[in-house]
Amino acid sequence: MGSYEQTYRRSIDDPEGFWGEAARLIDWTRKPTQVLDISELPFVHWFPDGELNTCYNALDRHVEAGRGETMALIYDSPVTQTIRRYMYVELRDETARLAGALRALGVEKGDTVIIYMPMVPEAAMAMLACARIGAVHSVVFGGFAAPELAARIDDAKPKVVLSASCGIESTRIVAYKPLLDEAIRLAAHKPRHSIILQRPQATAVLHGTDQDWEETVAAASPVDCLPVKATDPLYILYTSGTTAGPKGVVRDNGGHAVALAWSMPNIYDVRAGDVYWAASDVGWVVGHSYIVYAPLLAGVTSVLYEGKPVGTPDPGAFWRVIAEHKVNTLFCAPTALRVIKKEDPKGKYKQGHDTSCLRALFLAGERLDPTTYEWARDVLSVPVIDHWWQTETGWPIAALSLGIEAKAVKPGSPTHPVPGYDVVVVDESSNPVPAGVQGEIVIRQPLPPGALTTLYNADERFRDSYFTCHPGFYRTGDGGYFDEDGYIWVMGRIDDVINVAGHRLSTGAMEEILAQHPAVAECAVIGVVNSVKGQVPMGLVVLKAGVEVDPQQLRSELILGVRKNIGAIASFHDVEVVAKLPKTRSGKILRATMRAIADGREYTVPGTIEDATVLEGITEVIAPKARTS
Ligand code: COA
Ligand code: AMP
């Protein structure tokens, strides 16, 4: 057996021994005597009697170990032409003061705080400040519109919201404060205070309960780390589900810290002193885990980048950042590479940037298509590693674990399950299928540390969404197969979740918006293949009988409706008015069949179809888009 196989087997056969050892990577205020409690499955309690503070492990302990002057965070923002560097000691001090400000506003252990911010270092400080005082943060991605933010405010019920006056997109300044005000107006729950970071690009008008960030922090006294139970929540991160309303994924403190600290050397082959850049956003799970927590837990320098992959005026922005900050490991979404490849297919903008510091490129967020894989490998001449994970797991489920064994890459496959994840492919009856046979990818219970512990205020939804369909297993929502060599192939979602430019979105949520239009009788939203974004949504609407509308006007209204209610990131630009939607005889819309047509996949039509000609008509509408995009 090679080192990977040995490590993997041990993690599955002896999870307590394996993770008990990994727990030594963390400083505990009370060392756990028990590693794993599975008495309440599917609820798993890792290190149930341990106590720690995540912020202490991410910042203070490095300072106390004499590494305070090591760089913790490099903020690189071509959109504001700023580069700012924070040593561990500086990041600790700023965070401790912000934590003091939160405390002074009445935020206590267990209280929730929403963070709705652009990619600025204060966003990372805000997360760490919450962790410092045992408050539970919930970061909401800045591209979400006010109603989405309102839904999260109502679910999380934050005592305080941390936000900024604006975000900066390539072509425009996005004023955040009006969106926040609108969200608070829409929400039934009213936070006590909002702390607003004023940015010079667009300052915000502050009202009664608003606090100016700088003034509030300047007036605050720094506070120490408060030990919490390993099983206490660290954060809530909302993600799209199939059914109505986002799901609030809850992450604990202890399991999360252990898993992420373990992942840095073992999966990414990155250690203290290295420079790591996850080119994502703190609003997504990748940003939580690999811009903020994992690098800092491991004493690594993390790059926080505010801008697009192809910057203006610098089309070689990615290569410049690698060279300038001596990045050793880059992690981004394939869609970001496709954006660069489209602008610069031959990698000419790389010239003049010495990227020899780079050791590996990790990709996730969507399937890595072999063409993008080959392009990246040829342009960068480093191992290009696809790895598969999701908001719920918080860290990779399958990857080439570079720090354990440099296995051969098979383009299109995220290699093998990561230690801790007992991955199985099952059929509809939950029976494992042989190698080469496609099925649903599930994970045998218990999930490893770091994975979600429940859904916020929704234990039953947690059970129903993930554990009822295949008893004994966690349902990932992805389909795929293992090949004869034990490589896993993740082929895509089997539910109504789509992945647009590495952003996970619910087609059901978009359908809800379309269905509210007075002219729409029924509708469906499906993902259509897109050469840059991977997938983009397409709406199919059926008009109410007798309604006369200008189709162009209707399209504009529906597109604007999705943008205003969900956000620009939905990239919803395509609506077709159709006479009918294909259905089964019992009236169920054939969404899975339409999805397969849009993906250009083979499909079987259910025997009980209502009217085959309707399906033929819809195929004529969808199929050309799948081919031309
Ligand atoms: N705040 C406000 N608006 C935002 C936003 C934010 N934080 N992020 C995106 N938007 C807007 C964009 O400006 C754009 O608006 P437009 O329709 O007016 O042009 C719209 O949302 C769509 O954005 P996006 O799909 O992101 O397209 P893009 O061209 O701006 O950027 C990528 C393309 C590939 C660079 C970007 O999507 C990306 O970096 N994706 C990777 C995501 C990721 O990291 N996923 C995690 C796995 S690693
Ligand atoms: P998110 O929760 O936003 O991280 O999205 C998770 C989903 O993205 C997964 O369920 C997959 O459908 C998809 N995904 C993420 N990484 C990969 C990958 N490497 N290969 C294939 N699909 C991926």
Side-chain angles (χ1 to χ4, degrees):
M1 260 202 274
S3 346
Y4 161 76
E5 276 78 12
Q6 270 176 12
T7 313
Y8 180 73
R9 273 286 26 112
R10 172 144 191 256
S11 77
I12 302 302
D13 297 342
D14 177 21
E16 298 195 323
F18 187 89
W19 292 112
E21 235 165 67
R24 292 189 204 135
L25 296 167
I26 291 304
D27 287 1
W28 302 85
T29 45
R30 183 166 193 271
K31 278 206 165 51
T33 58
Q34 191 184 356
V35 172
L36 175 60
D37 171 5
I38 51 167
S39 59
E40 294 178 309
L41 283 177
F43 303 94
V44 182
H45 311 290
W46 284 97
F47 313 107
D49 61 350
E51 284 182 12
L52 75 161
N53 182 280
T54 297
C55 180
Y56 175 82
N57 276 279
L59 300 176
D60 302 54
R61 67 165 171 165
H62 304 305
V63 179
E64 289 169 18
R67 302 189 61 250
E69 291 185 5
T70 302
M71 217 49 78
L73 201 64
I74 300 174
Y75 166 55
D76 187 308
S77 167
V79 293
T80 59
Q81 298 184 351
T82 312
I83 293 179
R84 241 187 283 153
R85 296 179 169 82
Y86 297 84
M87 297 185 290
Y88 270 95
V89 64
E90 293 169 325
L91 194 58
R92 181 201 60 181
D93 291 349
E94 297 231 13
T95 299
R97 205 176 276 283
L98 179 57
L102 288 173
R103 180 73 70 65
L105 289 176
V107 178
E108 300 290 342
K109 175 174 179 282
D111 286 341
T112 50
V113 172
I114 278 194
I115 300 170
Y116 181 62
M117 295 192 69
M119 283 292 286
V120 289
E122 287 81 357
M125 290 170 201
M127 294 163 73
L128 293 160
C130 290
R132 195 168 186 89
I133 56 173
V136 182
H137 62 70
S138 183
V139 184
V140 178
F141 177 63
F144 279 124
E148 288 285 329
L149 177 58
R152 286 152 176 81
I153 290 175
D154 271 339
D155 198 65
K157 302 200 174 24
K159 218 176 221 179
V160 167
V161 177
L162 291 153
S163 189
S165 56
C166 68
I168 301 153
E169 283 297 288
S170 20
T171 51
R172 64 202 158 100
I173 307 274
V174 182
Y176 276 33
K177 187 62 183 10
L179 296 171
L180 174 61
D181 289 344
E182 172 66 359
I184 293 176
R185 193 188 65 74
L186 291 171
H189 171 82
K190 307 293 175 197
R192 282 194 204 168
H193 296 282
S194 301
I195 308 182
I196 309 296
L197 180 75
Q198 293 283 19
R199 306 188 78 193
Q201 292 75 15
T203 50
V205 178
L206 304 188
H207 312 294
T209 54
D210 297 335
Q211 309 262 137
D212 177 85
W213 187 296
E214 227 172 90
E215 286 171 12
T216 310
V217 173
S221 308
V223 292
D224 271 341
C225 298
L226 183 78
V228 298
K229 286 193 196 137
T231 50
D232 280 339
L234 170 69
Y235 72 73
I236 306 161
L237 177 57
Y238 289 91
T239 190
S240 300
T242 316
T243 48
K247 303 195 266 198
V249 163
V250 177
R251 197 92 61 212
D252 63 4
N253 273 274
H256 173 256
V258 171
L260 292 195
W262 183 89
S263 73
M264 287 306 273
N266 289 289
I267 298 178
Y268 298 98
D269 198 19
V270 167
R271 287 163 185 79
D274 285 339
V275 182
Y276 184 91
W277 177 23
S280 180
D281 188 290
V282 287
W284 306 117
V285 67
V286 173
H288 280 63
S289 296
Y290 291 104
I291 296 175
V292 181
Y293 287 113
L296 299 179
L297 286 166
V300 164
T301 304
S302 178
V303 177
L304 188 144
Y305 177 76
E306 184 182 31
K308 300 283 171 185
V310 179
T312 329
D314 178 8
F318 253 42
W319 317 134
R320 192 240 342 130
V321 173
I322 295 170
E324 186 160 351
H325 305 306
K326 309 228 169 341
V327 172
N328 302 117
T329 303
L330 170 63
F331 174 175
C332 67
T335 182
L337 292 184
R338 289 196 297 267
V339 169
I340 300 174
K341 178 169 149 246
K342 195 170 168 215
E343 285 292 310
D344 183 19
K346 302 221 174 328
K348 68 172 189 277
Y349 295 121
K350 198 167 150 284
Q351 282 162 23
H353 298 300
D354 178 5
T355 60
S356 58
C357 47
L358 194 71
R359 300 196 301 251
L361 167 65
F362 282 82
L363 295 161
E366 54 171 324
R367 184 163 179 267
L368 173 59
D369 52 289
T371 319
T372 306
Y373 163 79
E374 278 155 22
W375 179 82
R377 184 199 52 196
D378 295 347
V379 169
L380 285 167
S381 308
V382 295
V384 175
I385 298 169
D386 180 13
H387 62 330
W388 167 58
W389 51 302
Q390 41 186 216
T391 306
E392 287 85 345
T393 63
W395 62 293
I397 309 166
L400 191 165
S401 295
L402 194 60
I404 299 176
E405 186 181 346
K407 292 265 188 182
V409 164
K410 289 196 189 187
S413 160
T415 318
H416 300 307
V418 160
Y421 287 97
D422 192 352
V423 181
V424 183
V425 178
V426 295
D427 62 18
E428 280 176 3
S429 318
S430 311
N431 296 316
V433 298
V437 176
Q438 204 157 312
E440 202 173 319
I441 313 180
V442 296
I443 303 167
R444 200 185 303 278
Q445 289 177 325
L447 289 175
L452 81 171
T453 52
T454 189
L455 293 175
Y456 191 61
N457 284 336
D459 285 348
E460 271 321 298
R461 191 176 178 195
F462 170 71
R463 210 190 278 272
D464 290 349
S465 309
Y466 302 111
F467 297 98
T468 46
C469 188
H470 298 293
F473 295 104
Y474 162 85
R475 186 177 206 198
T476 65
D478 282 308
Y481 64 95
F482 276 107
D483 69 14
E484 297 289 345
D485 303 322
Y487 280 63
I488 189 160
W489 297 78
V490 181
M491 304 313 288
R493 299 287 304 195
I494 51 167
D495 55 15
D496 293 333
V497 167
I498 56 171
N499 205 305
V500 181
H503 308 139
R504 175 165 156 184
L505 296 162
S506 157
T507 53
M510 290 184 233
E511 287 175 5
E512 270 179 32
I513 309 294
L514 303 189
Q516 283 164 18
H517 193 285
V520 172
E522 58 181 359
C523 62
V525 174
I526 53 169
V528 181
V529 182
N530 181 276
S531 61
V532 174
K533 296 195 176 186
Q535 275 185 308
V536 286
M538 172 193 182
L540 298 158
V541 296
V542 178
L543 298 186
K544 284 183 183 155
V547 169
E548 297 273 327
V549 282
D550 168 12
Q552 203 43 48
Q553 163 93 9
L554 175 71
R555 277 191 194 102
S556 309
E557 287 170 10
L558 294 173
I559 289 167
L560 193 64
V562 173
R563 195 176 171 97
K564 282 214 144 59
N565 283 283
I566 294 178
I569 44 147
S571 295
F572 185 80
H573 301 295
D574 191 5
V575 190
E576 293 289 340
V577 177
V578 294
K580 273 184 161 186
L581 290 171
K583 290 181 185 167
T584 61
R585 248 179 250 143
S586 60
K588 218 167 164 277
I589 295 174
L590 294 174
R591 286 192 170 76
T593 309
M594 289 194 285
R595 277 203 307 267
I597 298 167
D599 285 351
R601 280 185 279 123
E602 279 183 22
Y603 61 91
T604 45
V605 181
T608 58
I609 187 163
E610 188 189 54
D611 182 348
T613 56
V614 176
L615 182 60
E616 281 163 25
I618 285 287
T619 306
E620 278 171 28
V621 176
I622 305 171
K625 306 225 178 201
R627 278 196 294 273
T628 54
S629 48

